[in-house]
Structures are given as structure tokens and as C-alpha cells.
Amino acid sequence: MAAGFLTGKYRDEADLSKSQRGEGVRKYLNPKGLEVLKALDEISAKHNTTQGAVALAWLLENPLITAPIVSATSESQLETLFAAPKINLTHKDVELLNTASN
């Protein structure tokens, strides 16, 4: 989950202070990373879910990823983990995320 970046928690440098791991996210705060967040925002709104759930669903759709390794430290993070397999991403959703991330 890119140290929490794909959850949408970090959107600018001011957000880096939100957690102890914030500095590890700095490398994703660039035009490419922000484009991925924009795609996650669009798709999560469409599916009425969180950016984190969409990011996990995207990983689950990737045949090259055998099993995403995830963890949860709160109930809301656990809910995100349970929601991801229930999201049916369309081909257009996956294409949008793949294009944004390449």
C-alpha cells in the first residue's frame, strides 16, 4: 500500500506529519503519485468505497501478484481489507489505474 500512500491519507507535504511513517511516503508525492491518487479517488467514488479498498482490489486483479501482503492496526483498516475482494473493478477501472501508475 506504499506505506499508506494508496489510502489517500497523504496528498501534500503537510500530510507527512500525520504519522511516524509519513517521511517514507515523500517519494510518492510527485505528479505520477498524485495521478494515481486521482484515479483512486474517481474509482472509489464510483464504487462507493475507500481508496485503500480500491488499491487492494487492483492488486488482487493483477495476475502477477500472487498475494498482496497487508496488515491492519485498526478496525477501519480491517474493514478496508475485507471490502477489497468484494469490489468488481471494470476493465476501464483497471486500465485507468494501470495508465496512471506507469
Side-chain angles (χ1 to χ4, degrees):
M1 296 295 291
F5 181 75
L6 295 176
T7 66
K9 180 178 178 177
Y10 306 98
R11 298 200 175 250
D12 57 39
E13 293 207 14
D15 292 335
L16 298 178
S17 64
K18 287 183 176 180
S19 77
Q20 290 179 320
R21 297 186 332 172
E23 275 304 314
V25 176
R26 183 180 298 280
K27 62 187 169 193
Y28 302 113
L29 284 176
N30 56 48
K32 181 178 178 179
L34 296 176
E35 194 63 30
V36 171
L37 287 184
K38 181 179 172 185
L40 287 170
D41 289 343
E42 180 180 325
I43 296 166
S44 64
K46 173 182 165 185
H47 291 275
N48 195 33
T49 191
T50 65
Q51 293 88 347
V54 170
L56 284 173
W58 177 32
L59 291 174
L60 292 169
E61 288 284 325
N62 187 331
L64 299 177
I65 298 176
T66 306
I69 298 172
V70 296
S71 65
T73 58
S74 69
E75 187 175 330
S76 66
Q77 290 175 348
L78 196 56
E79 290 169 4
T80 294
L81 298 181
F82 291 145
K86 298 174 186 173
I87 300 170
N88 293 313
L89 296 177
T90 66
H91 176 73
K92 184 179 177 183
D93 293 338
V94 173
E95 189 175 290
L96 178 63
L97 288 163
N98 288 341
T99 299
S101 68
N102 287 324

